[in-house]
Amino acid sequence: MRTPRCNSQSGLTKGSWSSEEDQKLVTYISRYGIWNWSKMPVYAGLSRSGKSCRLRWMNYLNPKVKRGNFTNEEEKTILHYHSILGNKWSAIAKKVPGRSDNEVKNHWHAHLKKRITQDPVPVTKPNKITSQDTESPTELVDHFFSSFSTGHTTSSCTLETGSVFEPVIEFETSYNITSPGTVEEVESFWQQLYSNNEDFELQDLL
DNA sequence: AATCGTGTCAACCGCCGATCA
DNA sequence: CTGATCGGCGGTTGACACGAT
């Protein structure tokens, strides 16, 4: 990839990481952990910006990062959540264990975007979900997500919660959405749920 | 064999919100 | 309260790989 180069103004190295640099960063983090990205490079003996170190760790060096081709299941998940969340890559990446937001974003632009435009998903029927179908708030929201498909504007979804979740969610609501999930609409839905249940963390879904 | 065009993906850039001094 | 710093995010770039001509 990019050949390492030195920025004469800042004195920081840019471009591709060498195996030596990788080793320094991995050794430092495994020994001292992540405490301050902007100060760490100096202590780790690297002439890189904190941002560069963070990116390298998050996208490549972190042992939790999965390498290799995306599975069909992972691609389905990305398509599914992209249809709802749009270009919220970090939120989508959280739904694909072991994949970074950068990887998800790249894969979308390189492969999935074309697939969507070439082979749009057909319109789904209106869907009604009730608490009887699910066992947890998270599952309910997953059902909610499943009722959408991409590339159309005519599906609708009614979601109702009821006694199954009591006393966790002590309310009944139905929410109608007339387009396949603009971020504002989905957020509005979540806020309804969230405002009625303190244990229901919005971040857990993202 | 050489050149060109295209795809892939690691890395950079700029912006923004949160936190700190 | 305010400015500085940091971390995180999404958009974009550009080097390299590889197939087509």
Side-chain angles (χ1 to χ4, degrees), chain A residues 7-206:
Chain A
N7 183 325
S8 56
Q9 287 191 329
S10 63
L12 296 174
T13 307
K14 292 188 174 186
S16 295
W17 280 64
S18 65
S19 53
E20 202 178 320
E21 288 176 308
D22 283 347
Q23 193 54 52
K24 281 182 180 177
L25 187 59
V26 169
T27 303
Y28 186 86
I29 289 176
S30 61
R31 190 171 298 170
Y32 301 105
I34 297 164
W35 53 283
N36 183 317
W37 283 116
S38 64
K39 294 190 178 73
M40 272 166 49
V42 179
Y43 293 93
L46 292 162
S47 56
R48 292 275 181 174
S49 70
K51 276 191 170 190
S52 182
C53 292
R54 179 186 162 275
L55 203 69
R56 185 64 177 166
W57 175 259
M58 297 292 198
N59 291 332
Y60 197 84
L61 299 176
N62 187 337
K64 289 178 184 171
V65 172
K66 205 192 286 180
R67 315 300 305 169
N69 294 337
F70 280 68
T71 63
N72 287 340
E73 203 56 40
E74 287 174 324
E75 290 187 336
K76 271 172 62 182
T77 304
I78 294 168
L79 287 168
H80 176 63
Y81 284 100
H82 185 271
S83 70
I84 298 156
L85 298 168
N87 297 355
K88 301 285 179 187
W89 304 117
S90 63
I92 297 168
K94 284 173 190 165
K95 291 290 182 184
V96 192
R99 300 294 186 180
S100 70
D101 53 354
N102 209 33
E103 268 188 306
V104 170
K105 181 172 58 181
N106 281 335
H107 192 68
W108 168 264
H109 286 301
H111 302 98
L112 304 179
K113 195 176 170 182
K114 290 174 206 159
R115 203 179 301 173
I116 287 292
T117 51
Q118 286 168 6
D119 185 23
V121 180
V123 171
T124 56
K125 290 180 196 170
N127 201 354
K128 183 174 183 177
I129 306 153
T130 71
S131 56
Q132 312 304 314
D133 302 326
T134 60
E135 292 177 357
S136 69
T138 304
E139 200 181 336
L140 187 66
V141 172
D142 279 342
H143 272 79
F144 180 71
F145 284 163
S146 301
S147 67
F148 293 119
S149 63
T150 56
H152 62 85
T153 57
T154 57
S155 76
S156 68
C157 174
T158 301
L159 181 142
E160 295 174 357
T161 60
S163 58
V164 166
F165 302 132
E166 286 179 358
V168 178
I169 298 177
E170 296 182 67
F171 73 105
E172 294 218 358
T173 186
S174 83
Y175 186 81
N176 287 297
I177 191 163
T178 52
S179 75
T182 64
V183 171
E184 290 74 21
E185 285 169 330
V186 176
E187 278 177 357
S188 164
F189 159 72
W190 279 337
Q191 277 159 10
Q192 276 193 41
L193 271 181
Y194 190 54
S195 64
N196 285 279
N197 175 22
E198 289 177 1
D199 297 329
F200 193 50
E201 290 290 342
L202 187 61
Q203 280 305 313
D204 292 344
L205 300 169
L206 296 174

